[in-house]
Structure formats: C-alpha cells, structure tokens
Amino acid sequence: LIAAMRQILLRVSGRSIVLTITAIEQALEKPTRYVQQYRYRKPASPTTTADGQEEQTLWVRFDQKAINKLLRDNRMPVWGKTRPSVLLWMVVDNRKTRVLVGNNVENEALTLIQEQARLRGLPLRLPLLDLADQSNLSMGDVWGNFEDTILLASRRYQAEAVLVGRVYQAYSGNWTVRWTLYNSGRRDDWDATGLTLVEALIPGIDNTVDTLAQYFAQVEAEGEDSSILVKVQGIYSLANYNKAIGYLSALSAVTEVQPYSVAKDNVMYRLKSRNGRLAISQAISLGHTLVEVNELISEPIIHQPVNANRPEPGVVQQLKADLVYRLIP
C-alpha cells in the first residue's frame, strides 16, 4: 500500500519533491487512512515466483478527497486529468543498431518509457513514422537534435510539448540518454546515465513531468477564490450549453461555475478559482473543447436573469470577459 500511495501522490501532484515532505512521509506510514478499497488480482497470464507461488497484482482505490487534502495542506498542487500531451522523438543506439522509435516500432526502451509515463500520468504520443514524417525529418535530424526541423515535423501532431531522447550504450555497457524538452517556446536539456537501460531512461519522464507540472499545475493560493468571467461563443442549443458548462466544471483549476448572462449565441460564465485567470487559461488550452478567441471590443449582452442579483430582462450592459472562447462543434 505504501508503494501504491507513493505512486498516486507523484501522479496527482506531478512533483517528485512531494515524497520528501515530512508530513507526507508521516502520512505514508499509515496509508490505510487514504484507501477506500484494495484487493489482489491474478494477472491474465499468471507467473510463479521462485518458491512456487502465483504472482498477484495489488489493486488500490484511494480516497480522492483525502489525497487532495493531504497535498493542499502541504502546499503541493493537485493536477487534474487534463494534462499536456508530449510527442516523443527518440533514437536508440545499442552499438549494433540505431533505431528511430515510433508508433509501430517494438523496442525495449520504448516499453520502459511508456510504462513510466503511465505511472506518472503523462499523455505520451509517438510519431507515426509514415511517409509524411520521413519526408519531414530523418533519424539523423533527431540524433543531431536539429530543433527547427524537429519542431516543424511535430506540428502535425498538435502536442503541447515535444521530448527528444538520444539513447546510446557505451563500450563499458552503461547507458546514457541526452534529453531535450521543448515546451511553450522554452527548451530544457539534461543528461541521464545508468548501469541499466531503465536507470538511464526513467529520469527522462520524471524530469519531463516535473518541468511541465511547474508550468501547468499551480499550488492553490490561500484565501478566497478569485472570480473570472469566461465568455463562450457558439452556444446555439441546450446541448451546447450543457457541453460547455460540463467541461468548465470538470477543470481541476475551477472550484465553481455559474452562468452569468445569456445572449443570442454566447454565454458568459462566472468561474471561481484559487489560482486565477492563468490557471484557467492553461487548463482550457490543454483540452479540445474550447478554442481561444481574440475579442478586442466587448459586445453588448442582453441579460436573461438567473436569480434576483442579475439584471432584468432586456437590460443591456457592456461586459468585458476575462477570457473568450469558441465552442468546438
């Protein structure tokens, strides 16, 4: 249970440092306080241990509210399910062959990377390596980390970040990986080495998650929630209205959503968040439900009353939204 709780804390917070906090270390000593259910499952293809016992998998369901409270009480972020997707370009050189891994390539390094990404809750995407990719870049472009070529070839995948890995084995047998993460106009580089392939690869995903979490997962500010007005265009039906409010309500950065005003083809929502406008903007940018609109001039909106505190029907007010989006059909 302790190992499972460590994994869930890493996944939800996105920060490796979470396991070094004294209060959380103490909480890990009594993991059952945070567990709702757990049981052992037999795998589809059971194997036996050295002493002849069948191996089983531990399945655990944690109390989401309790885990979130533990993190917030210790000034750690709670990272929602909507996360930036990362496109991986990786070349593996084992001194015998050099391979550019992709969607249809079987490779031990890729398997290890995908498993660690799953444990850390990182949406990892792989290139198709089809004719379009082959015409846009070569294995040498990835190995040489030619930034312009790689980023140009990555546009078709519409990922929020691009991770480049160059994996090679030295004559000593040790493994080294040179990593580069491209994210929102920034570049981060680091190296990792290990006696085994897994030791060299794991820091690639861990550092990627930690870096992205610093940008996309904010620690909740103390005090009352701030109020943000978000205008959503393209609301032509009740189904559209429900889709928009459902999406906004599900964002981890949002604590409350209320309709503020209704016009002919758009709705103004009042959102509450402890992390303010930036957190909401970043969370929405990771989804595929709303697209940002540059609205320079606020338009008059004829309010339809929601409660006694709203303007009367037919009253026109000039409202300026903090954020403006269009609903994707």
Side-chain angles (χ1 to χ4, degrees):
L1 288 178
I2 293 177
M5 186 170 169
R6 286 197 184 103
Q7 286 185 12
I8 203 68
L9 289 170
L10 283 171
R11 182 182 300 178
V12 175
S13 71
R15 307 283 181 89
S16 298
I17 197 175
V18 69
L19 300 180
T20 66
I21 297 174
T22 301
I24 291 180
E25 288 178 336
Q26 294 172 349
L28 282 166
E29 296 176 0
K30 299 179 180 179
T32 52
R33 292 182 177 181
Y34 302 89
V35 172
Q36 289 182 333
Q37 299 179 48
Y38 76 92
R39 59 177 175 268
Y40 288 93
R41 291 176 171 176
K42 290 185 179 180
S45 301
T47 58
T48 56
T49 60
D51 58 1
Q53 300 294 321
E54 280 193 353
E55 288 188 349
Q56 297 185 8
T57 302
L58 176 64
W59 176 89
V60 185
R61 173 178 290 165
F62 286 93
D63 184 331
Q64 181 178 347
K65 291 183 178 180
I67 290 292
N68 290 352
K69 184 177 186 302
L70 176 63
L71 291 172
R72 288 173 176 139
D73 287 348
N74 288 279
R75 306 296 299 145
M76 283 283 103
V78 174
W79 204 3
K81 294 180 180 179
T82 304
R83 301 189 174 196
S85 61
V86 177
L87 177 67
L88 173 67
W89 297 100
M90 185 170 69
V91 175
V92 181
D93 187 339
N94 63 3
R95 291 191 292 116
K96 296 179 181 178
T97 58
R98 181 176 289 183
V99 179
L100 175 62
V101 300
N103 196 45
N104 297 317
V105 176
E106 292 186 7
N107 186 276
E108 180 186 4
L110 180 57
T111 302
L112 294 171
I113 284 287
Q114 289 177 312
E115 175 61 19
Q116 186 65 12
R118 185 189 66 81
L119 291 175
R120 291 298 303 269
L122 180 69
L124 194 65
R125 301 184 63 182
L126 299 173
L128 298 174
L129 301 185
D130 55 8
L131 292 177
D133 283 341
Q134 293 173 32
S135 64
N136 289 331
L137 87 172
S138 65
M139 184 188 304
D141 293 326
V142 179
W143 188 257
N145 194 21
F146 296 129
E147 180 175 337
D148 292 342
T149 304
I150 291 172
L151 294 182
L152 183 62
S154 302
R155 287 182 182 177
R156 64 184 295 218
Y157 294 99
Q158 298 182 339
E160 282 76 31
V162 177
L163 179 64
V164 180
R166 289 135 302 155
V167 186
Y168 61 93
Q169 188 175 28
Y171 287 104
S172 63
N174 293 353
W175 290 89
T176 298
V177 188
R178 293 174 294 166
W179 293 105
T180 301
L181 177 66
Y182 299 101
N183 167 49
S184 301
R186 297 187 301 275
R187 170 174 172 164
D188 294 282
D189 298 274
W190 67 93
D191 294 342
T193 59
L195 296 175
T196 63
L197 183 58
V198 65
E199 289 178 354
L201 287 172
I202 296 306
I205 294 299
D206 288 346
N207 286 355
T208 297
V209 175
D210 286 346
T211 301
L212 293 176
Q214 290 178 14
Y215 182 73
F216 290 103
Q218 292 83 20
V219 177
E220 291 188 355
E222 296 181 358
E224 296 183 357
D225 294 354
S226 59
S227 182
I228 310 295
L229 284 179
V230 176
K231 179 179 178 180
V232 181
Q233 300 175 350
I235 306 293
Y236 299 104
S237 65
L238 180 59
N240 290 154
Y241 173 86
N242 290 333
K243 180 180 180 181
I245 198 170
Y247 175 74
L248 294 171
S249 299
L251 297 175
S252 61
V254 174
T255 58
E256 183 181 338
V257 179
Q258 292 291 338
Y260 185 78
S261 66
V262 180
K264 182 178 179 181
D265 61 354
N266 61 75
V267 176
M268 191 87 77
Y269 298 96
R270 182 182 292 280
L271 277 59
K272 289 188 177 181
S273 170
R274 292 190 180 92
N275 294 324
R277 172 176 173 171
L278 177 60
I280 293 176
S281 176
Q282 289 175 339
I284 292 176
S285 71
L286 297 177
H288 302 283
T289 301
L290 302 176
V291 60
E292 189 172 6
V293 175
N294 292 323
E295 186 178 73
L296 300 179
I297 302 176
S298 59
E299 300 175 355
I301 295 178
I302 301 178
H303 290 273
Q304 301 298 329
V306 178
N307 56 45
N309 297 322
R310 299 291 184 261
E312 295 298 325
V315 175
V316 178
Q317 284 191 352
Q318 291 287 124
L319 290 180
K320 179 63 177 178
D322 297 294
L323 298 167
V324 182
Y325 295 92
R326 177 172 50 82
L327 182 68
I328 298 175

